[in-house]
Amino acid sequence: MPKVKINGVELFYEIKGNQKAEQTIIFMNGVMASANSWDAFIPIFEKAGYKVIVHDFRGQFLSEKPESEYTFELHVQDTIALLDHLDIEKAHFITTSYGGITSIFLTLSHPKRVKSLILIDTASELDPNFQIKFNGLADIIENPTPEKKNIHYDQLVPYIYGKDYVLKNRENISARKTVVANLPDDFYRSISKLYRNAMQNSYATDRIHEIKCPVFIVCGEDDISTPLYLSKIMASKIKQAELCYIPFCGHVSIMEQPEVLKSMMLGFVIKNS
């Protein structure tokens, strides 16, 4: 399991695809996800000849979970340091949700490191109803117990999956509840801190007009965590932005509509390679 010490914290990462490729894809995870959440997408970029990087942010599954607070500034510093460690000057960033917010700040602070940017189910500011809900979820799992873990999952599901996905995948969602309930307490404490970072530090709408690279914005039509109106705000302010929404899809497009996303992702990256 490859890990590297970055800014005093051990980060998990993997390199896949063509190790000698001139162009690199880096995927950036959602808040409760791990690097393996991109497994369905990596082969299409391997086949197209790209180098592919996945990693877990500090506080996520396979990376170290320090007691200190987490911020987007730290995530940006960690990601840039990881790219430096791997001798990668510039990359195509494919990101979702929490990873998308991180990538917005990274693109603003290090524009020369970003060749193109895909933002999936993310936003440059938070919906107020979402903020209220996730502040409450952070409170629930700050000191986790088996009961609190189950409450957290039950309250989380409507905010991540669209209704069509829920209707077709009730058994899988129920089985996933058991898996998630068995995750260790330090995972939940870290997720609570990641939630709080997102609730407090996500706003970038006043600056996103500064983003000059090509940007593809994708939103699930039924996403209530980062609703479509927030994607429209970003698209209206970023000069080279393209916007697409996916029908019958909630906040986790990478799970709900992976085949549609594969076509979008690969086409956009190739067009901007």
Side-chain angles (χ1 to χ4, degrees):
M1 185 185 299
K3 290 188 177 182
V4 61
K5 198 139 195 171
I6 298 287
N7 297 323
V9 175
E10 281 198 338
L11 297 185
F12 167 81
Y13 73 96
E14 288 185 306
I15 306 175
K16 301 186 178 185
N18 181 359
Q19 307 290 306
K20 297 181 180 180
E22 292 184 4
Q23 299 204 33
T24 299
I25 309 293
I26 180 166
F27 290 100
M28 297 178 75
N29 314 330
V31 67
M32 278 195 69
S34 186
N36 64 4
S37 63
W38 299 105
D39 283 354
F41 302 93
I42 292 170
I44 63 170
F45 289 101
E46 290 179 317
K47 186 176 180 180
Y50 291 90
K51 182 187 295 182
V52 178
I53 308 297
V54 293
H55 80 291
D56 283 359
F57 294 121
R58 63 170 67 204
Q60 288 191 316
F61 281 83
L62 298 176
S63 288
E64 191 176 346
K65 302 167 184 61
E67 293 297 322
S68 56
E69 296 304 306
Y70 310 141
T71 66
F72 289 116
E73 183 179 2
L74 280 173
H75 294 321
V76 169
Q77 291 173 6
D78 291 345
T79 305
I80 292 297
L82 177 62
L83 292 177
D84 289 343
H85 172 75
L86 299 175
D87 198 26
I88 296 169
E89 183 60 31
K90 201 168 191 175
H92 300 275
F93 284 73
I94 300 179
T95 70
T96 189
S97 192
Y98 189 92
I101 299 170
T102 304
S103 72
I104 289 171
F105 287 112
L106 186 149
T107 305
L108 288 169
S109 60
H110 298 81
K112 293 182 179 180
R113 307 302 293 268
V114 184
K115 189 165 182 63
S116 71
L117 175 61
I118 298 179
L119 299 170
I120 305 165
D121 301 315
T122 193
S124 58
E125 61 184 87
L126 299 183
D127 178 80
N129 291 329
F130 172 80
Q131 270 185 301
I132 292 169
K133 169 56 72 173
F134 274 73
N135 274 320
L137 290 177
D139 290 340
I140 289 170
I141 58 172
E142 188 172 30
N143 295 298
T145 65
E147 181 182 12
K148 287 180 178 180
K149 292 176 183 180
N150 285 328
I151 291 171
H152 168 263
Y153 187 81
D154 290 340
Q155 293 191 15
L156 182 67
V157 164
Y159 276 81
I160 55 176
Y161 302 122
K163 60 182 182 297
D164 291 87
Y165 183 84
V166 171
L167 287 171
K168 295 174 184 177
N169 294 275
R170 290 185 184 276
E171 289 187 9
N172 289 340
I173 291 170
S174 179
R176 200 169 293 140
K177 180 177 180 177
T178 301
V179 173
V180 172
N182 288 321
L183 292 172
D185 289 354
D186 69 337
F187 165 80
Y188 280 93
R189 286 190 288 269
S190 288
I191 293 299
S192 177
K193 290 191 288 187
L194 292 169
Y195 282 171
R196 293 196 193 284
N197 174 44
M199 296 310 103
Q200 296 167 9
N201 302 310
S202 292
Y203 189 83
T205 300
D206 287 349
R207 291 194 59 203
I208 56 173
H209 67 277
E210 299 172 27
I211 295 176
K212 305 302 182 187
C213 69
V215 179
F216 190 49
I217 301 167
V218 186
C219 183
E221 185 178 26
D222 300 326
D223 184 352
I224 62 172
S225 290
T226 51
L228 181 57
Y229 80 87
L230 294 175
S231 289
K232 290 179 178 179
I233 289 172
M234 293 192 295
S236 72
K237 292 179 178 291
I238 299 172
K239 187 174 182 179
Q240 290 200 71
E242 300 174 34
L243 171 63
C244 184
Y245 69 86
I246 304 177
F248 313 112
C249 187
H251 183 65
V252 194
S253 298
I254 65 172
M255 287 183 62
E256 298 177 58
Q257 295 286 353
E259 296 306 314
V260 173
L261 267 180
K262 286 177 188 178
S263 300
M264 292 178 175
M265 286 178 183
L266 186 60
F268 184 77
V269 168
I270 288 176
K271 183 172 73 171
N272 291 287
S273 292

